[in-house]
Amino acid sequence: MTGAEVMLAALRAKGVSVCFANPGTTELDVVRAFETAPELRCVVGLQENVCTGAADGYGRMLERPAATLLHLGPGFANGIANLHNARRARTPIVNIIGDHTSWHLPYDAPLTSDIESLAWPVSGWVHRIAGTADIALATMEAVDRTRNNGGQGTTLIFPADFQMAPCDAGAPDGASPAGRDESVEEDAPFDAAAAADRLKSAGRILFLLGGGGPESGLGARAQRAAARLCAILPAHAYAETFPSRSERGVGLPGFDRLPYFPEPARKALDPADLVVLVGALPPITYFGYEGHDSRMVGDERLLTLCLPGENAAERLEAIADALNAPAYTAAPVDLPAVPEGSLTPAGIAAVLARELPDDAIVSVEGGTCGYPFYAASAGARPHTALTNTGGAIGQGLPVAMGAAVACPDRKVVALLSDGSTQYTVQTLWSLAHEGLDVVVLIAANHQYAILRNELRRGGAALSAQAEAMTSLDNPRIDWVQLAQAYGVSASRAATTDELSEQLKNAFVVKGPALIEMAL
Amino acid sequence: MTGAEVMLAALRAKGVSVCFANPGTTELDVVRAFETAPELRCVVGLQENVCTGAADGYGRMLERPAATLLHLGPGFANGIANLHNARRARTPIVNIIGDHTSWHLPYDAPLTSDIESLAWPVSGWVHRIAGTADIALATMEAVDRTRNNGGQGTTLIFPADFQMAPCDAGAPDGASPAGRDESVEEDAPFDAAAAADRLKSAGRILFLLGGGGPESGLGARAQRAAARLCAILPAHAYAETFPSRSERGVGLPGFDRLPYFPEPARKALDPADLVVLVGALPPITYFGYEGHDSRMVGDERLLTLCLPGENAAERLEAIADALNAPAYTAAPVDLPAVPEGSLTPAGIAAVLARELPDDAIVSVEGGTCGYPFYAASAGARPHTALTNTGGAIGQGLPVAMGAAVACPDRKVVALLSDGSTQYTVQTLWSLAHEGLDVVVLIAANHQYAILRNELRRGGAALSAQAEAMTSLDNPRIDWVQLAQAYGVSASRAATTDELSEQLKNAFVVKGPALIEMAL
């Protein structure tokens, strides 16, 4: 076996079954090795941020890592922005970066750069393969370590000479290497009765639910348990502002997200005597705003019920049982009426909430439709929502792509804004290439609306230069042509009726489609 | 004045007149400040690698820095790949990265990351603005330092609170701050006679000419002087393999580039008794290849005539004069015949060499047409060629954009491959938005041809997986639709006649156009 074949075998032995790849010359022996690893599906992206964002979406849905295969420092750098988002989402990912042949590095060839310096800001662990004897163990360790800290990315730097070198040790079996302790420290058992007492005496409570997998604060179980508690305590519950993954729709309580801007967020938080963190971090403002403390709730009002990655469902249910809270009964939810005529964000949200098929995955990026849809979606059929966790835009479409690879039997919707989607627009090709079942909705307002909203905060007027710098109006991007150029069928909707019709059509066929929503 | 206004005034005072920008919320006070700096042209890119690549093209043409304006760590990260290329091109660039309000940083908000760790690998100098008193001096120092090391990028991190804070000091005048020594160490005067003696006794000589501005080894003057020396010495001259900028066409000697692969490069280098570096670095292989030393010429056969950034023209002319070399007479050059029928790389090269207008700038990326065009272009009208210096692909189109901003009276041609152009395809929008005079030629072979060439080295067959991972064939990207989607007029050429006709049409009108060349 070659070193590259050993690495792929080690990934397989550890349960990795997908690699999002944009390889170059220093990864060619890994490319060759894929021939020996047919169960390791290789999905090509035309730009690295497509690959890393797709790995994020995949890892969020399956809670196990995909690999990425990237080309030295500059290729890796192209994927950093979505690794930043993945870091905030605590998504497990194993990045494999090919590098120059080890003995070539001292010569500072054109493609040489300080990969470690680039990798650490978005990796929980960075390791440079030191020789062929290191490949199997380091690869398995890289996969193991994606479970740490509630989930994280790890990065292996793999010099080309070790990729091609013969490795006699043979394929690894995935067993933990001898001498490496994988036992997890036992926490003290959770004392539900004590927690229940604490809540009973707390006064007004705000539960802040953190996103993640089925057992997280925004899985179905935890949400229902939180609703049971809210029914018997003076308590409200909010979702964190940007959950990596949350369950949503009929049959669930439909909690709001904590608002983005500090004024409305404070309006929600300030009345609470106790803010209970259920897999969420202490709430801070998104940016630093004059006149607002960064940390919106002081330690004296905070209680951490569980950390991100811990089982929130069990704890909330145990407390609800301890308090003899009645079983959860879903309240009837009305879907918002669909306004007739030209599209508005509220109209788009209403149409999508009505048309969304059962068990869909919705990847949301961009404020224009994101907030209105969240408000409308409580009454939609049950679905999973994925949001932009780290603020690096260009995340929504690749995450949808990765979710579709992870869950081929679920319809994926990408509800996006035109400005942010441009950052990783090449994702459209991969959707077509892989025939992924993703319906892409582009809110085309032809501006960086979020920046204009921020510029206008406090009633300020938009200067001519600021207007020009936030305009995407000249020329207007033709999203229908753009999608078709990448082999994705596309249409344009200007009214709620047209959107409704086009959505229905897109949802009955398999494969990618794009709808430009004229605003 | 606000801090942001002071920074823009300092940039202006130091001669910076263009900023390639993709701002976000932490740069809004810089966006506001542009209203007070009308002479500072702001050019928006839809993705950060567009901005940094454009700054590279701009700086290569004018030998003075443009600024970039980028959004925190993740936004900056999107621009690293082209900053890597710019570093190898020794291009002066001043990057301005907005960051969180300084007192917000400790709270690790979603967009917080280790910007310094990301910035150092592509910056000669990184500085975090420490307060309002620091803004003017740091900005002027950042511009000054772009001249160091033969040209480099510098990076300023600008917290949002200092952008908005009032600065009473007023606008800087661009004068060197007191106490900072700007004097350059005087080199020993160049001894042309000694150098001439050394060359006379050297045996077979190979001049390796490095790219750069008009006085570089690949400016017109140095090339002509090198030709004078080659006429009277047993000498050949080569251009370095990937010059940042070189002059080319009739009236110039038409030196080949040193080949990319080690075998033909060694064939050129090995017979030489002395390799004279004229603003070029010692030749090393691009990647590490088994059986080839990374360094292709040992120190004992190397003579450094001048370093990158030093005046090569003066030195070569002085030596030629010292040796009484006759004046340079341009040899008549034949343009290659244009083959009829379907397009081939050689046919494309021949057509472009014939149609290229006088004084054009050609940004070349991708091997498919790059090498054939270089071979054909010795007989073309005089033009300037820009190549990919650092190997991070997605550079050719943004560099063409920046060159067009720098030189609005010159026609710019971007001769590109389909695979590499996808990385920064959003550049097309900026070409349309700014009405830039760029003709984009896409060699559409629907594959990563360079990877297939490398995979096939030594006669190896392409495995099915390797073929799939290097294919862009399913679906084929429709470049005509893609360009039109971004507002760029476009056409498709399948024969040399069609290409000829479409090129003629594109060259007589101002503004961007794209031709998909079917291969």
Side-chain angles (χ1 to χ4, degrees), chain A residues 164-250:
Chain A
M164 73 177 71
C167 279
D168 296 333
D173 61 4
S176 297
R180 190 148 55 79
D181 183 11
E182 284 205 352
S183 65
V184 176
E185 228 177 286
E186 278 298 312
D187 286 329
F190 177 63
D191 186 342
D197 285 345
R198 174 87 172 83
L199 295 186
K200 269 197 296 194
S201 63
R204 288 157 300 183
I205 295 168
L206 187 150
F207 291 104
L208 191 58
L209 307 175
E215 311 305 308
S216 74
L218 290 168
R221 280 178 62 195
Q223 288 189 62
R224 292 188 184 119
R228 289 171 66 196
L229 289 170
C230 290
I232 58 159
L233 292 169
H236 285 87
Y238 281 87
E240 62 180 337
T241 310
F242 293 108
S244 59
R245 176 178 163 196
S246 58
E247 297 306 312
R248 189 87 185 146
V250 286

Side-chain angles (χ1 to χ4, degrees), chain A residues 261-263 266 285-294 454 457-458, chain B residues 25 29 32 100-104 132 159-166:
Chain A
F261 280 116
E263 296 84 354
R266 290 282 299 279
T285 61
Y286 202 85
F287 293 108
Y289 293 102
E290 283 293 337
H292 292 278
D293 286 341
S294 295
E454 294 264 9
R457 264 172 62 85
Chain B
T25 305
D29 280 284
R32 288 190 182 97
H100 281 300
T101 290
S102 55
W103 43 261
H104 191 56
T132 52
D161 47 341
F162 304 140
Q163 295 173 31
M164 75 176 70

Side-chain angles (χ1 to χ4, degrees), chain B residues 96-413:
Chain B
I96 299 158
I97 309 175
D99 195 9
H100 281 300
T101 290
S102 55
W103 43 261
H104 191 56
L105 268 185
Y107 299 95
D108 195 29
L111 271 163
T112 304
S113 67
D114 184 346
I115 301 177
E116 279 86 346
S117 187
L118 297 172
W120 274 111
V122 289
S123 309
W125 187 62
V126 179
H127 178 80
R128 177 177 286 273
I129 301 281
T132 52
D134 186 30
I135 296 171
L137 292 187
T139 305
M140 292 193 289
E141 186 166 359
V143 177
D144 288 342
R145 283 179 181 263
T146 62
R147 290 197 302 266
N148 294 356
N149 301 316
Q152 65 182 13
T154 59
T155 297
L156 291 169
I157 303 168
F158 196 6
D161 47 341
F162 304 140
Q163 295 173 31
M164 75 176 70
C167 279
D168 296 334
D173 61 4
S176 298
R180 190 149 55 79
D181 183 10
E182 285 205 352
S183 65
V184 176
E185 229 175 284
E186 277 298 311
D187 286 328
F190 177 63
D191 186 342
D197 285 344
R198 173 88 173 82
L199 295 186
K200 268 198 295 194
S201 63
R204 288 157 301 185
I205 294 169
L206 187 149
F207 291 104
L208 191 58
L209 308 175
E215 311 305 308
S216 75
L218 290 168
R221 281 179 60 195
Q223 288 190 62
R224 292 188 183 117
R228 290 171 64 196
L229 289 170
C230 291
I232 58 159
L233 293 169
H236 285 87
Y238 281 87
E240 63 180 337
T241 311
F242 293 107
S244 59
R245 176 177 163 197
S246 57
E247 298 306 311
R248 189 85 185 148
V250 287
L252 290 172
F255 300 129
D256 281 344
R257 291 195 284 172
L258 191 68
Y260 171 83
F261 281 116
E263 295 85 354
R266 291 282 299 279
K267 202 172 273 183
L269 292 164
D270 284 354
D273 298 304
L274 187 70
V275 173
V276 180
L277 303 174
V278 188
L281 298 175
I284 57 168
T285 62
Y286 202 85
F287 293 107
Y289 293 101
E290 283 295 335
H292 291 277
D293 286 341
S294 296
R295 190 150 183 177
M296 291 189 282
V297 181
D299 280 341
E300 72 290 353
R301 287 201 296 143
L302 280 179
L303 172 70
T304 300
L305 189 67
C306 59
L307 296 170
E310 290 184 335
N311 192 316
E314 266 179 20
R315 295 194 176 189
L316 284 176
E317 285 177 353
I319 299 172
D321 291 345
L323 290 170
N324 291 314
Y328 172 69
T329 322
V333 189
D334 281 337
L335 277 164
V338 173
E340 286 200 18
S342 298
L343 284 179
T344 59
I348 290 169
V351 171
L352 179 58
R354 283 179 182 271
E355 301 297 342
L356 197 68
D358 199 39
D359 205 28
I361 299 164
V362 186
S363 172
V364 179
E365 183 172 51
T368 302
C369 290
Y371 295 101
F373 174 69
Y374 199 83
S377 65
R381 295 179 189 88
H383 62 278
T384 302
L386 311 173
T387 75
N388 184 322
T389 48
I393 58 180
Q395 169 267 14
L397 192 54
V399 159
M401 169 186 159
V405 170
C407 306
D409 298 328
R410 301 176 67 176
K411 185 62 91 171
V412 179
V413 175

Side-chain angles (χ1 to χ4, degrees), chain A residues 22 35 84 88 104 108-110 112 117 285 294 422-423 426 429 433 463 465 474-475 478 481-482 484-486, chain B residues 22 35 84 88 104 108-110 112 117 285 294 422-423 426 429 433 463 465 474-475 478 482 484-486:
Chain A
N22 188 268
E35 200 71 18
H84 171 89
R88 296 298 182 187
H104 191 56
D108 195 30
T112 304
S117 187
T285 61
S294 295
Q422 273 301 315
Y423 290 76
Q426 306 90 338
W429 183 83
H433 183 63
S463 72
Q465 267 290 345
N474 176 28
D478 184 327
Q481 273 196 309
L482 191 54
Q484 289 171 345
Y486 285 112
Chain B
N22 187 267
E35 200 72 18
H84 171 89
R88 296 297 181 186
H104 191 56
D108 195 29
T112 304
S117 187
T285 62
S294 296
Q422 273 302 316
Y423 290 77
Q426 306 90 339
W429 183 83
H433 182 64
S463 71
Q465 267 289 343
N474 176 27
D478 184 328
L482 190 54
Q484 289 170 347
Y486 285 112

Side-chain angles (χ1 to χ4, degrees), chain A residues 452-510:
Chain A
R452 290 191 176 175
N453 290 345
E454 294 264 9
L455 283 162
R456 289 192 190 108
R457 264 172 62 85
L462 211 60
S463 72
Q465 267 290 345
E467 183 161 345
M469 288 177 71
T470 54
S471 169
L472 304 174
D473 206 44
N474 176 28
R476 292 193 162 203
I477 292 167
D478 184 327
W479 283 91
V480 173
Q481 273 196 309
L482 191 54
Q484 289 171 345
Y486 285 112
V488 171
S489 71
S491 56
R492 183 176 290 110
T495 67
T496 49
D497 276 354
E498 288 171 11
L499 178 61
S500 218
E501 186 69 19
Q502 291 171 22
L503 266 182
K504 280 192 203 348
N505 293 340
F507 286 146
V508 293
V509 293
K510 269 266 185 188

